[in-house]
Amino acid sequence: MYKKQDVAVEGLRSFRSLSVDEGGTSKFLIREREESIDLPCEGFPDHLEDQHPQLIKSGWLDKTPPKGGRRFQRRWVMLDGEYLRYFQNNKEVYSKRMVALACVSGVARVGEQRFEIITKGRTFLFRAPNSKQRDDWLSCLWKVLESRQENRCGNGVYKTGSVSIEGYLEMTSPRTKLYTILKDQKIFLFRNQEEYLQGIGITDIDMSRANVKQTNKFISISTPYRKFSFVVDSDVERERWLTCLMACVSQSSSDGVCERVWRLESNRVCADCGAAMPEWASVNLCVLVCEQCAGVHQCLGQSVSKVYNLKTDESVWTEDLIKVFLLIGNSKANLFWALHLPAYESLNMKASMSERVTHITAKYQQRKYSKRHTLSGQQEALNNALCIAVQTDDLLESLTLLFSGADVCCSTGIPEFPSPLALANHAGQTAQVELLQQHLAGPVRSEVCHTPVHSHKGHLAKIASSARPITDHKPRADFSQRWCCLDNGVFSYYKTEQSTSRCSCIKTSDIICLSVNSPGNHGYEHTFELFTDSGRVYLFGADDIKTMKEWIKAIAAAMLPAVLRDDSGLYDRLGRLRCAEGSSGIGWFCLSGSRLQFILLDSVQTVDLRKLLTVTLCDGVGDMVLGWRGGSLHLLADRRPHFPGWVQCIQLRAGTGDQPLHLQQLSESGIPITVDRCLDHITRHGLLSVGIYRKCGVNSRVSTLLDDFLRDARSVCVPEHFVVDDVANTLKRFLREVKEGVFNGTQNSHIWLSATGLRECDKVSAYQALLSELPEVNRETLKALLNHLYCVQNFSSMNHMTTRNLGIVFGPTLFQTGGADSRTSKVVEDLILGYCAIFNTSETELQKQMDATFHILNKVKDQACVRRVPSHTVCAVYLEKREQDAELLVQVGVSITVEELVLEVLKIRRIQPAHGEFWRCYEVKEEIERELHYKEEVLPVYYSLSPQSHLLVKRSHYTSDINKYLNGKEEVCKLGTLHVCEVKGSKAKGFSSRHCELSGSTFRLYRELQGSQCEKEWPVQEIKVYQGYRSKLQPPTPWGLTMFHEQRQWYLCCGTEDELIEWMATIMSLQHGEDLG
């Protein structure tokens, strides 16, 4: 992940694109960006479509070139349910680019024959041979996107599911460094990590037919079509990649079962919903089903459906079992199971989980649609018919007889062959033998992810159950010894091991939460709590940690879906929670340390709680909303006693300021947010400050800022005008006072200090060894700090902070000593001087960083000069969407208006607005935006922008609607009911209905429609109104406005989009008159 200062550096590099000739004329150079790489094949498949079995559409399209040229490039484009890819030609296997449809935010027509695919990271422009083909592509894209939305496909990009390994690898041909991930038996290649997060890749490599070899530093992957070679210098990294790749190739060999079973055409679709390529099978029902339907089959229980995976359960799939599925197949099986299924009751791929449960239960458990055998109800006749059928190859008849009541263990009356199984063996009908064995078998694994059913027995101490959370200390005397048994999905406990009657029992299906308490919370050293669906709380204890771990592991195995289970049994809390994103409003969660794993619908996600961007508790409601980069989770409040514990636990594991570094709130780069934001501010504003870090700040301001960081670092944003010495002292005080320090405790600190006595030639390896022993967060924090100090001492001629001076300041700070030991400063000096060698950073990379730092300083200096003499300035403006390195730099004079700025931007990008198309400039402030009036001067707006704001030129979708609404109106006013939410301080109240009147020069709010006094009123000319509002507010509708007046703000929620347009039009008309441009 990029650090903040890295993002700022990358953004600044675009200033190199601006030059001014001697005549003062601006030249605007659009940054050239390498689009893709060529991966030509040495051999080609007969049909490229065979590589993409779920292909929806393919064909030739023209695409805009990567470097801004005017000529389109012809590309072969392929669309399936997951990605849109384009290739050099229609023979190549490996694409030039692939876009995950999960990251596509929109598809739009652009003039004749052209259309755009809009993603978070960038916009792709294509041109079809004619308008009809363009419309065909648009239709397909819209249908696929709509289908994904209806099926609630994950909002992740390539990250959905389990990623085996990821990181940068250097490809040898062509020579380039690519961000690479291994997932689902495929290798995905990306230009960089940012594009990976945006869902814009280069290509994917199917490992199912690949071979992996290692030669010295090279890892080679050979496919039928070309060879890929990667250089991995680090022995450790090379071993990690090689292990994962070999495991992937090994796993793909099991895919042979799939290929064999899918040879029968009817086996290529789910027997229940029709989804393509089902990878699960019910071996006793003889049907192949998709993953979602397999989950429902598992819920039916082992006595109804025995579910196995075609890929992972290799030992199950004998030749005879494969033969059974080829001889019966889904089509024949459904001649029995679904013979009387009405068309209107059939299931489809888009069905919800509740619809699947209803249908599958009726089909297999209730046998509502199955064929009724003519001998049904005649037991002896059914048994005789089964004995005859098993000696033939008619497996469907045997299946029908077995589920019509025939006894698989009936007597044949033949002493030599007493059972149907013996008859089948004698007749040489191996497939019949396999079918009978599946019905003879006892309870088998029926969970979708297949972990054996756990049973466990032993002594535990227990107290009486409670209907409230157990918050007070329970002494040892309150506990009673019980003999506990976990078996067949029931947790029972008895007075003694010899007791035959149990005291009570709990079904594991009724347990909604298992919570492991901290040692010493109660009279017994180790305790855990079970929360049931009915709201009861059970507390169990033991003195032996081994006993406790075994019980937790066994209960977790009985409760959790297998994909969430941890073989080590190291859980802190696990169970079910109500959440807006879950299947039927329910999700499974597992918390271990700061790692929260959860399964929603059919996808498993993992979130590091320390790196959350937001943790919000909704006032009054009790809901909890977690937000992170790329997703969010809305946990719904629950009055049962388990929910408060979840809230408290998540808040604690999300990081607190009074804990060691690894338990702090972290930035995306993995260092404490406090350190990250202080370093970012000092880099931008304090590198040239004389005596930086030696001068004392104002103690009251330092204490206030540090207290804010310790209370909730996520909510702190250091203002641009904040005195840099105050921020520097805040950073030093944090590092000096944080628990265990950067070096992870006093004992480790002494070891670091002893390294100063080594010979100079031995110090680098010694420091590297010590670094490797630090926790990851400590190591990354130390690296970020030393990187910063290296930059500081490079400007020592101006700031007077030499390496020696920095050592004197930071030695006692990092080692948390009084400064008497001179070795502390020596360690810091060694780390600064040997930064490149100790932290494995190349000098070239460091020099690039220093160059970028110079540019940052020049930018700050230039901006300061511009503010003093604001005759001209260079404004950064984005087009359509904010993207890194994509800003346009426009020289703006004092009198330049918004209209002139828009025209200049369109001229730079050679965009000719179509007829009836309106382009406007917006002030974008995080999630909200305000359209600027076309006569408004640019510079005052630009100077007033906050660090989180920017200018954006884009098409206006509302201008024509606003003009239509205002056209012909003699008096502009608006009355109506809005949902209003007022923000006080940093908290927002809930939405409440208010009657609103907008007329003349005043905007008024009333509690009721009639007979109430005006609650609030504002002059229209003094308010600023933005479209949109913060998503974490959870507004009643998505159509809203954010209104600012004198440092206060209100959120106004409209009932419909048309209503939003009418309010916007009225406000703009009253503020600017009829001249809206």
Side-chain angles (χ1 to χ4, degrees):
M1 310 295 279
Y2 288 125
K3 298 178 184 174
K4 277 193 171 183
Q5 54 265 42
D6 296 334
V7 175
V9 168
E10 291 295 325
L12 185 64
R13 290 177 183 166
S14 60
F15 275 78
R16 298 173 181 172
S17 302
L18 174 65
S19 63
V20 180
D21 60 21
E22 294 179 359
T25 305
S26 301
K27 296 180 180 179
F28 300 94
L29 307 177
I30 305 303
R31 175 183 296 276
E32 293 187 356
R33 183 165 71 175
E34 194 66 27
E35 166 79 354
S36 57
I37 61 175
D38 289 324
L39 298 170
C41 294
E42 299 168 0
F44 300 96
D46 295 333
H47 302 285
L48 182 59
E49 288 78 3
D50 292 344
Q51 307 299 311
H52 307 278
Q54 299 184 26
L55 182 66
I56 295 172
K57 186 173 178 59
S58 62
W60 290 102
L61 290 175
D62 294 330
K63 182 195 161 292
T64 50
K67 298 186 178 182
R70 295 185 177 182
R71 297 182 60 185
F72 279 80
Q73 297 173 333
R74 197 168 187 236
R75 294 286 181 258
W76 181 256
V77 184
M78 303 182 72
L79 172 69
D80 58 35
E82 296 290 333
Y83 307 104
L84 181 132
R85 300 172 170 87
Y86 56 85
F87 302 77
Q88 184 73 24
N89 54 56
N90 60 354
K91 292 184 178 180
E92 294 291 346
V93 175
Y94 303 107
S95 59
K96 295 179 72 65
R97 275 295 198 191
M98 58 188 300
V99 183
L101 297 182
C103 76
V104 173
S105 58
V107 181
R109 293 184 177 89
V110 185
E112 295 184 0
Q113 301 177 246
R114 294 181 295 173
F115 65 92
E116 285 181 339
I117 297 177
I118 305 165
T119 72
K120 179 181 179 182
R122 57 173 294 185
T123 298
F124 295 84
L125 179 63
F126 293 96
R127 183 177 68 187
N130 53 59
S131 297
K132 183 180 181 302
Q133 291 192 31
R134 187 271 311 275
D135 293 340
D136 289 343
W137 276 100
L138 286 173
S139 176
C140 288
L141 284 164
W142 284 331
K143 285 181 180 178
V144 174
L145 293 175
E146 182 181 357
S147 173
R148 291 184 61 83
Q149 188 173 7
E150 289 179 357
N151 288 332
R152 298 188 69 182
C153 295
N155 64 346
V157 189
Y158 296 83
K159 298 191 73 174
T160 54
S162 176
V163 175
S164 302
I165 189 172
E166 59 183 290
Y168 281 98
L169 291 180
E170 185 174 355
M171 184 185 286
T172 58
S173 178
R175 193 82 177 189
T176 183
K177 200 170 185 179
L178 301 175
Y179 196 78
T180 310
I181 73 168
L182 176 62
K183 172 188 168 292
D184 293 342
Q185 299 181 43
K186 285 188 177 182
I187 292 177
F188 293 88
L189 303 179
F190 305 85
R191 267 290 173 194
N192 48 53
Q193 189 182 30
E194 182 184 7
E195 291 194 352
Y196 163 46
L197 297 173
Q198 294 171 352
I200 303 173
I202 295 172
T203 193
D204 57 341
I205 305 169
D206 186 1
M207 297 296 290
S208 62
R209 300 176 64 187
N211 295 316
V212 178
K213 293 183 180 179
Q214 177 193 357
T215 307
N216 297 326
K217 294 183 178 181
F218 297 88
I219 294 178
S220 299
I221 301 171
S222 300
T223 73
Y225 311 113
R226 69 161 285 153
K227 181 179 179 181
F228 298 85
S229 293
F230 299 92
V231 180
V232 187
D233 292 325
S234 167
D235 293 339
V236 175
E237 280 297 298
R238 185 165 57 253
E239 186 63 30
R240 284 181 63 235
W241 277 97
L242 194 63
T243 301
C244 292
L245 289 169
M246 295 299 290
C248 178
V249 172
S250 175
Q251 181 181 354
S252 66
S253 63
S254 64
D255 292 348
V257 175
C258 290
E259 299 299 330
R260 292 179 63 186
V261 173
W262 289 342
R263 287 175 190 170
L264 189 64
E265 185 174 356
S266 65
N267 286 347
R268 297 175 195 166
V269 294
C270 173
D272 294 332
C273 72
M277 304 303 175
E279 296 182 1
W280 302 87
S282 174
V283 294
N284 61 321
L285 305 180
C286 296
V287 290
L288 288 161
V289 292
C290 66
E291 187 171 3
Q292 285 184 294
C293 291
V296 181
H297 277 259
Q298 180 263 335
C299 294
L300 296 179
Q302 306 171 54
S303 60
V304 178
S305 183
K306 303 173 185 178
V307 186
Y308 287 89
N309 187 276
L310 298 179
K311 292 184 176 181
T312 58
D313 293 318
E314 298 176 27
S315 59
V316 173
W317 291 97
T318 63
E319 289 295 322
D320 290 333
L321 185 57
I322 294 173
K323 187 177 179 181
V324 169
F325 278 82
L326 289 174
L327 289 174
I328 296 182
N330 280 351
S331 61
K332 288 184 179 180
N334 273 334
L335 288 177
F336 170 69
W337 292 114
L339 182 65
H340 304 296
L341 174 64
Y344 63 87
E345 290 189 36
S346 59
L347 206 62
N348 59 59
M349 291 182 289
K350 300 178 182 179
S352 65
M353 189 56 68
S354 60
E355 291 173 333
R356 292 176 192 270
V357 170
T358 301
H359 175 86
I360 293 172
T361 302
K363 182 176 179 180
Y364 299 105
Q365 193 167 39
Q366 300 170 3
R367 300 180 192 171
K368 180 178 178 181
Y369 316 114
S370 63
K371 174 183 177 182
R372 182 177 175 83
H373 200 279
T374 54
L375 300 176
S376 292
Q378 306 174 49
Q379 188 63 56
E380 186 176 350
L382 285 171
N383 292 345
N384 291 335
L386 179 62
C387 292
I388 296 171
V390 296
Q391 300 178 68
T392 70
D393 56 3
D394 193 349
L395 270 71
L396 182 60
E397 176 67 10
S398 298
L399 182 72
T400 303
L401 288 164
L402 286 168
F403 283 100
S404 295
D407 184 1
V408 69
C409 297
C410 66
S411 173
T412 63
I414 305 174
E416 295 85 358
F417 313 111
S419 66
L421 182 63
L423 284 174
N425 263 317
H426 175 69
Q429 297 293 337
T430 56
Q432 293 278 10
V433 171
E434 182 67 33
L435 179 63
L436 292 171
Q437 285 177 337
Q438 293 300 334
H439 286 265
L440 282 167
V444 297
R445 298 174 294 168
S446 62
E447 293 177 356
V448 174
C449 295
H450 302 300
T451 297
V453 175
H454 281 265
S455 61
H456 195 67
K457 297 179 180 180
H459 282 101
L460 284 174
K462 176 188 176 295
I463 67 167
S465 64
S466 169
R468 296 181 179 181
I470 301 173
T471 56
D472 55 331
H473 175 83
K474 296 296 181 183
R476 197 178 184 94
D478 288 357
F479 287 81
S480 303
Q481 284 290 329
R482 292 289 183 263
W483 175 256
C484 302
C485 300
L486 175 65
D487 196 16
N488 291 327
V490 179
F491 180 80
S492 308
Y493 48 93
Y494 304 78
K495 281 191 175 182
T496 65
E497 184 177 354
Q498 291 74 31
S499 299
T500 56
S501 60
R502 60 191 178 192
C503 299
S504 187
C505 67
I506 310 168
K507 290 184 178 179
T508 54
S509 59
D510 290 337
I511 302 175
I512 59 173
C513 180
L514 164 64
S515 176
V516 181
N517 297 319
S518 300
N521 263 20
H522 299 287
Y524 279 84
E525 182 69 11
H526 306 286
T527 55
F528 68 87
E529 295 170 80
L530 297 179
F531 299 78
T532 65
D533 200 13
S534 60
R536 304 298 297 179
V537 185
Y538 298 81
L539 177 64
F540 295 89
D543 284 325
D544 182 14
I545 182 62
K546 182 179 178 182
T547 299
M548 183 60 56
K549 284 185 176 181
E550 289 174 350
W551 272 109
I552 293 170
K553 184 177 179 180
I555 296 172
M559 286 177 56
L560 285 176
V563 289
L564 287 182
R565 293 177 195 152
D566 186 346
D567 291 337
S568 66
L570 299 177
Y571 303 101
D572 295 319
R573 199 174 186 91
L574 55 91
R576 305 193 299 267
L577 284 173
R578 296 173 57 229
C579 58
E581 299 84 357
S583 172
S584 301
I586 298 292
W588 282 97
F589 294 81
C590 181
L591 180 62
S592 180
S594 296
R595 186 184 69 166
L596 179 66
Q597 282 188 298
F598 51 93
I599 179 170
L600 305 176
L601 300 177
D602 57 352
S603 65
V604 180
Q605 299 182 52
T606 302
V607 174
D608 187 339
L609 295 179
R610 299 170 300 174
K611 294 185 179 181
L612 290 175
L613 299 180
T614 57
V615 180
T616 306
L617 275 178
C618 303
D619 293 338
V621 181
D623 292 3
M624 188 177 205
V625 181
L626 309 179
W628 60 91
R629 185 170 182 175
S632 62
L633 183 67
H634 183 178
L635 301 178
L636 303 176
D638 196 322
R639 293 185 177 181
R640 288 174 293 184
H642 73 297
F643 187 72
W646 274 106
V647 171
Q648 183 181 5
C649 210
I650 289 173
Q651 287 179 318
L652 180 64
R653 301 307 168 83
T656 55
D658 59 348
Q659 294 297 317
L661 287 178
H662 68 281
L663 297 178
Q664 297 275 332
Q665 297 178 11
L666 303 182
S667 66
E668 287 291 334
S669 55
I671 67 175
I673 291 177
T674 304
V675 176
D676 182 75
R677 293 186 180 171
C678 288
L679 291 180
D680 175 60
H681 185 86
I682 297 166
T683 300
R684 287 186 287 111
H685 301 288
L687 287 183
L688 302 183
S689 177
V690 176
I692 183 68
Y693 290 119
R694 296 201 76 166
K695 292 189 297 183
C696 295
V698 178
N699 189 59
S700 60
R701 292 201 295 256
V702 172
S703 297
T704 300
L705 181 58
L706 182 59
D707 288 343
D708 290 341
F709 273 122
L710 295 180
R711 189 180 306 109
D712 184 10
R714 293 184 183 91
S715 63
V716 178
C717 181
V718 183
E720 293 291 318
H721 58 78
F722 213 87
V723 179
V724 72
D725 291 323
D726 294 340
V727 180
N729 278 271
T730 301
L731 173 64
K732 288 194 299 178
R733 189 181 295 184
F734 172 80
L735 294 172
R736 184 166 54 248
E737 297 176 359
V738 68
K739 279 187 179 180
E740 300 179 4
V742 176
F743 296 109
N744 199 31
T746 304
Q747 186 175 356
N748 285 330
S749 296
H750 289 315
I751 300 175
W752 277 83
L753 292 173
S754 65
T756 57
L758 300 174
R759 295 180 303 171
E760 293 298 324
C761 59
D762 297 330
K763 283 186 177 180
V764 170
S765 59
Y767 283 131
Q768 287 179 333
L770 291 171
L771 274 174
S772 65
E773 295 175 1
L774 287 178
E776 183 180 3
V777 175
N778 297 53
R779 185 167 60 249
E780 291 302 318
T781 302
L782 190 60
K783 181 178 180 180
L785 178 64
L786 268 297
N787 179 281
H788 169 75
L789 296 182
Y790 184 92
C791 293
V792 172
Q793 60 90 29
N794 267 278
F795 295 97
S796 59
S797 60
M798 289 173 277
N799 60 32
H800 299 172
M801 292 304 293
T802 61
T803 304
R804 173 65 178 160
N805 289 338
L806 290 172
I808 292 172
V809 171
F810 275 93
T813 297
L814 295 181
F815 285 95
Q816 300 181 339
T817 64
D821 193 339
S822 61
R823 294 180 298 171
T824 60
S825 59
K826 181 59 178 172
V827 171
V828 175
E829 290 179 50
D830 289 343
L831 294 176
I832 295 174
L833 293 174
Y835 174 78
C836 291
I838 295 171
F839 291 94
N840 292 320
T841 302
S842 68
E843 293 185 4
T844 304
E845 182 180 342
L846 198 59
Q847 186 58 47
K848 287 182 180 179
Q849 181 181 343
M850 292 304 303
D851 292 342
T853 305
F854 274 112
H855 280 283
I856 291 177
L857 297 177
N858 290 334
K859 176 184 178 183
V860 173
K861 182 179 178 181
D862 292 344
Q863 287 179 342
C865 295
V866 167
R867 287 190 176 97
R868 288 194 295 270
V869 187
S871 57
H872 286 81
T873 190
V874 174
C875 292
V877 185
Y878 293 88
L879 184 66
E880 295 281 17
K881 182 180 290 187
R882 183 174 186 175
E883 297 176 333
Q884 187 176 342
D885 297 340
E887 68 269 32
L888 297 174
L889 304 176
V890 183
Q891 187 169 350
V892 176
V894 176
S895 60
I896 292 294
T897 64
V898 169
E899 181 182 33
E900 292 169 324
L901 175 66
V902 172
L903 292 175
E904 183 66 22
V905 169
L906 296 180
K907 180 181 177 182
I908 293 170
R909 297 302 298 267
R910 299 186 181 91
I911 294 176
Q912 184 65 37
H915 178 69
E917 194 173 62
F918 298 92
W919 288 81
R920 295 287 187 263
C921 184
Y922 294 82
E923 174 196 350
V924 181
K925 188 175 184 179
E926 295 181 338
E927 299 179 75
I928 61 178
E929 61 184 28
R930 177 175 73 95
E931 181 180 328
L932 302 179
H933 189 255
Y934 77 103
K935 286 186 178 180
E936 202 168 346
E937 292 183 351
V938 175
L939 282 186
V941 177
Y942 189 70
Y943 288 137
S944 68
L945 294 178
S946 68
Q948 293 79 31
S949 304
H950 62 275
L951 295 181
L952 179 72
V953 173
K954 66 174 184 176
R955 297 178 184 86
S956 173
H957 300 292
Y958 288 147
T959 298
S960 59
D961 294 324
I962 289 173
N963 291 337
K964 288 179 183 178
Y965 175 74
L966 295 175
N967 187 30
K969 280 189 176 289
E970 296 181 1
E971 180 182 1
V972 179
C973 63
K974 177 67 179 171
L975 310 175
T977 301
L978 295 176
H979 293 282
V980 180
C981 173
E982 181 180 358
V983 178
K984 287 190 176 181
S986 60
K987 293 186 176 180
K989 294 183 176 180
F991 283 88
S992 56
S993 296
R994 291 290 184 272
H995 178 69
C996 304
E997 291 186 4
L998 184 57
S999 61
S1001 59
T1002 309
F1003 185 22
R1004 297 183 180 88
L1005 254 64
Y1006 298 85
R1007 282 191 177 273
E1008 299 175 2
L1009 180 59
Q1010 295 178 346
S1012 64
Q1013 293 183 347
C1014 177
E1015 183 181 4
K1016 286 185 176 65
E1017 65 177 355
W1018 306 275
V1020 175
Q1021 296 297 334
E1022 296 180 12
I1023 62 175
K1024 270 190 176 182
V1025 180
Y1026 294 76
Q1027 181 188 339
Y1029 33 41
R1030 291 184 299 172
S1031 58
K1032 68 178 183 179
L1033 290 173
Q1034 300 161 13
T1037 74
W1039 302 291
L1041 302 169
T1042 300
M1043 184 175 71
F1044 291 85
H1045 181 257
E1046 296 180 351
Q1047 307 302 318
R1048 299 284 293 279
Q1049 66 187 80
W1050 291 263
Y1051 301 106
L1052 312 175
C1053 182
C1054 304
T1056 65
E1057 189 173 16
D1058 289 339
E1059 190 179 345
L1060 172 68
I1061 293 170
E1062 293 172 4
W1063 282 102
M1064 288 173 53
T1066 307
I1067 293 171
M1068 294 172 65
S1069 178
L1070 292 178
Q1071 287 183 335
H1072 304 292
E1074 297 180 0
D1075 188 16
L1076 297 183

